Amino acid sequence: MTTSPERRYTDRLEEFADRRPFLVDLALIAALMGSATLGASLTLPNADPPGDDGSAVLLLGASCLALFLHRTHPRVTVVVNAVCATLVIAQGYLLTPLLLAPVMASLYWLATRTERETVRRYGFATMAALTVAAAVSDSMDHLSLLLRTIGPFFWLLLPLAAGTMTRLRRAYLEATQARAEHAERTREEEARLRVTEERMRIARELHDVVAHHLALANAQAGTAEHLALANPRQTQQILHDLTGTTSSALRELKATLGLLRQTDDEGAPLEPAPGLARLPELVSSCASAGITVTVATEGEPQPLSPGVDLTAFRIVQEALTNVTKHAATQAAHVRFVYDGPRLLITVTDEGPLTAAAPEPVKGFGVMGMRERAHSIGGELRAGPRPEGGFEVSTALPLQPSVSGDEAG
């Protein structure tokens, strides 16, 4: 957007006035004093000038000196100028805009620096005083009362209107700048929030991939070590499953990192996000680690959105990972219940009552499961069971109620 030369010069003048206020005031007041002195020397044709006693010059000088207070005491400045101008006009000096220049300047500064009620009260009082002085002045006896009073009224009304417009313009610019700064802060906060949410999503995904497979690999390696001498054939099978576990971990980790590295311009095909279709593979990997998992389904299975499908799989995966790492048991149960628009999932283990350590509840696993459930409008509870063991239960909508569900 282009800026007019007049607006640029005005902005530069305002910037200079902010940096050097005293120099600007001195120059303006000197010009006003010269204007008022010139106005005091003017008379109508064939009219006698007032007596040259120097009192008018002293009054005009006092009014101009009072203008130095316009930044801190604008009301006092207006009162002093109004009194001085009224006395000068009462002495018979011709009422002209040049003579009224100091009081007009004081009214302008009053309108730019005070509220509307103050401007109305002091402005109208000044206009009334000077209008009455002009009506009774001897310098314009040959003019009608209307001509003697209408001029001062409009001359004094002009600086009030100009000062009010200047004040409104400044208020508008300040409000515009405040809105722009607020919008900028809001954009920065939204960007930080999105970055934080993305980091949390990445952390959950990497935790689910790495923690699950490392827990299974650790359990498989421990079992193989225990059976190495007693049952070499079973040990060989466990080591074979361990190879598959690590390979699966590498594949999922590669797919996750590939998705993070992919830009919008790249169209390379990626491995589909895991879902409940891979539940048999998950159950098989747990079995190789010595955990028997039984799966039960109640109700008519319904199609799930990709985000809900991924969330359900990751919650079951993390719950079984916690069973592998923390539960002193070799059995776990997974139950799916399709209840209207919701999918209820419960993962329990048969550990003893004393085996329900608080670590899974406070760790990142349960936190990540809860965040996943909340991200699509679901809820999750996790804790020890009264009869022993640990239970994770979640209720997920079949279709996510929150936009931006995870797809990878």
Side-chain angles (χ1 to χ4, degrees):
M1 182 176 65
T2 60
T3 305
S4 64
E6 294 80 3
R7 177 59 58 84
R8 291 199 298 267
Y9 295 148
T10 303
D11 293 340
R12 291 175 183 175
L13 181 60
E14 291 180 355
E15 292 176 1
F16 180 78
D18 293 336
R19 294 196 305 268
R20 300 288 189 272
F22 179 76
L23 294 180
V24 173
D25 291 348
L26 183 62
L28 291 176
I29 293 171
L32 292 172
M33 183 61 190
S35 174
T37 303
L38 178 61
S41 65
L42 298 178
T43 59
L44 290 174
N46 302 322
D48 296 330
D52 188 15
D53 56 358
S55 60
V57 176
L58 293 177
L59 290 172
L60 294 175
S63 65
C64 289
L65 289 177
L67 292 176
F68 282 104
L69 301 176
H70 76 89
R71 296 182 184 274
T72 56
H73 301 84
R75 299 172 182 83
V76 175
T77 302
V78 170
V79 171
V80 173
N81 274 267
V83 171
C84 292
T86 301
L87 294 176
V88 170
I89 296 171
Q91 292 179 3
Y93 286 89
L94 182 63
L95 185 59
T96 63
L98 294 176
L99 188 67
L100 294 178
V103 70
M104 292 172 67
S106 67
L107 289 175
Y108 171 81
W109 284 323
L110 177 75
T112 60
R113 298 182 179 278
T114 59
E115 62 278 3
R116 183 171 56 183
E117 183 61 29
T118 300
V119 173
R120 183 184 298 112
R121 187 166 58 249
Y122 282 82
F124 287 166
T126 301
M127 293 169 63
L130 293 179
T131 302
V132 171
V136 301
S137 175
D138 296 335
S139 62
M140 296 182 291
D141 287 341
H142 60 285
L143 297 177
S144 65
L145 181 62
L146 178 61
L147 293 178
R148 279 186 289 173
T149 57
I150 193 172
F153 179 83
F154 283 104
W155 293 338
L156 297 177
L157 186 62
L158 180 62
L160 291 176
T164 301
M165 293 300 297
T166 301
R167 177 170 53 84
L168 293 177
R169 175 178 176 271
R170 289 176 180 174
Y172 170 76
L173 293 177
E174 291 175 357
T176 301
Q177 183 178 2
R179 287 195 299 268
E181 293 175 355
H182 176 72
E184 184 66 24
R185 289 194 302 268
T186 303
R187 284 194 296 269
E188 293 176 357
E189 292 174 359
E190 289 179 353
R192 287 195 295 268
L193 180 60
R194 291 175 182 175
V195 170
T196 302
E197 291 177 348
E198 184 64 14
R199 289 175 58 187
M200 294 299 297
R201 188 186 70 82
I202 294 171
R204 288 197 303 267
E205 198 66 27
L206 291 178
H207 175 273
D208 291 345
V209 172
V210 175
H212 170 70
H213 290 92
L214 286 183
L216 288 181
N218 180 71
Q220 290 170 339
T223 305
E225 181 183 12
H226 179 71
L227 299 176
L229 297 179
N231 195 337
R233 182 179 296 278
Q234 187 176 358
T235 301
Q236 183 178 6
Q237 180 61 38
I238 293 175
L239 292 177
H240 177 75
D241 295 338
L242 177 60
T243 303
T245 300
T246 55
S247 299
S248 177
L250 291 175
R251 285 195 307 271
E252 287 201 33
L253 187 60
K254 181 179 179 181
T256 302
L257 296 178
L259 180 62
L260 296 178
R261 290 177 176 175
Q262 186 184 26
T263 63
D264 294 338
D265 297 333
E266 297 176 353
L270 298 174
E271 182 179 345
L276 293 181
R278 293 180 54 179
L279 187 60
E281 178 184 343
L282 179 61
V283 172
S284 176
S285 62
C286 291
S288 64
I291 303 297
T292 301
V293 180
T294 58
V295 180
T297 302
E298 299 179 11
E300 183 68 23
Q302 302 292 329
L304 306 177
S305 70
V308 176
D309 197 18
L310 171 63
T311 300
F313 177 79
R314 289 303 190 196
I315 289 176
V316 174
Q317 182 186 53
E318 180 60 29
L320 293 178
T321 300
N322 287 338
V323 173
T324 304
K325 292 192 298 183
H326 304 291
T329 182
Q330 296 182 348
H333 306 280
V334 180
R335 185 165 66 100
F336 298 94
V337 177
Y338 290 89
D339 181 18
R342 299 190 305 167
L343 171 61
L344 308 179
I345 303 176
T346 305
V347 181
T348 58
D349 63 72
E350 298 178 351
L353 184 62
T354 57
E359 181 181 357
V361 181
K362 298 182 180 179
F364 292 108
V366 172
M367 182 189 303
M369 288 189 292
R370 185 171 288 111
E371 289 174 351
R372 283 187 179 275
H374 290 172
S375 68
I376 61 171
E379 56 184 18
L380 183 138
R381 295 187 303 273
R385 297 194 304 165
E387 62 272 22
F390 198 83
E391 179 179 277
V392 175
S393 61
T394 181
L396 305 177
L398 298 182
Q399 299 296 326
S401 59
V402 177
S403 61
D405 60 314
E406 298 166 303

